[in-house]
Amino acid sequence: MKNLLIFTLIIFLFLISGSVFYRYVIYLPKVEQQKLELEQKKIEKKEERDLEINNEYDQCMQEAKDNFKNKMHTACSDAAEQHNERYKKCLENGEGLLRDLCESELRGYQDPNPSAGQCGVPKSIGDNLINERKQAEAQCLSDREFKSENNK
């Protein structure tokens, strides 16, 4: 009977030590590994979203810039066309001194070059276009900050 009790106690200790071994050597490291993998996936997903947000911001800023450039070019072209019309009318209607004034004041208007600051757009129109661009850029920045804040 004593041997049976010792044998049972040894089996019991073996089962307990096996359970402890399984829990701390096999089960818990797997759980920790899964937690690490899940955390890594979250980090990767956040980084991908951050990259997307930055790309959207860059695209938005480029669109604001292109939109401004196109509108400014159109406004400059319109101003040049109006100037050339005034020049033609002045030449058609002018005689003598008036014709000389047309030649000296209105002659030689070249194609607009807004990037070089050579454009006959009225200041108020130019200021409005600049304000539109600034508002579009501010909206891009606001959208970026909102999306970044929600991506935490």
Side-chain angles (χ1 to χ4, degrees):
M1 185 84 165
K2 189 174 181 182
N3 286 341
L4 182 63
L5 186 61
I6 293 175
F7 180 72
T8 307
L9 187 60
I10 290 173
I11 296 291
F12 179 72
L13 288 175
F14 183 70
L15 288 173
I16 295 225
S17 65
S19 296
V20 170
F21 174 81
Y22 175 77
R23 176 160 178 83
Y24 289 104
V25 176
I26 296 173
Y27 176 74
L28 286 180
K30 283 184 180 178
V31 170
E32 289 300 316
Q33 182 65 29
Q34 289 173 345
K35 286 180 183 177
L36 289 174
E37 288 172 0
L38 182 62
E39 190 64 32
Q40 184 64 30
K41 285 181 183 178
K42 285 181 183 178
I43 290 170
E44 288 173 3
K45 188 175 180 181
K46 183 186 181 317
E47 288 173 351
E48 287 175 11
R49 184 64 185 136
D50 285 343
L51 185 61
E52 258 181 50
I53 290 169
N54 286 336
N55 287 340
E56 289 172 4
Y57 171 76
D58 291 342
Q59 183 178 1
C60 183
M61 291 296 283
Q62 187 63 43
E63 287 175 8
K65 180 181 176 182
D66 291 344
N67 192 19
F68 170 78
K69 189 176 178 181
N70 291 337
K71 285 183 177 181
M72 184 59 89
H73 182 72
T74 300
C76 286
S77 295
D78 291 347
E81 190 175 306
Q82 290 173 2
H83 180 87
N84 288 334
E85 286 297 316
R86 283 197 313 266
Y87 177 62
K88 287 178 188 175
K89 284 182 183 178
C90 185
L91 287 178
E92 290 171 1
N93 298 331
E95 293 180 7
L97 195 55
L98 182 58
R99 187 172 178 87
D100 291 341
L101 181 64
C102 291
E103 286 286 334
S104 64
E105 291 294 321
L106 300 174
R107 179 179 40 125
Y109 193 83
Q110 299 174 351
D111 288 334
N113 186 0
S115 60
Q118 300 171 351
C119 182
V121 173
K123 183 176 180 345
S124 62
I125 293 174
D127 288 346
N128 286 341
L129 292 175
I130 290 170
N131 286 337
E132 281 181 26
R133 179 180 178 179
K134 287 180 181 178
Q135 287 175 350
E137 290 173 346
Q139 184 64 44
C140 292
L141 183 61
S142 174
D143 290 348
R144 178 185 183 189
E145 289 172 352
F146 177 76
K147 290 174 183 177
S148 292
E149 190 66 32
N150 288 334
N151 193 35
K152 289 185 177 178

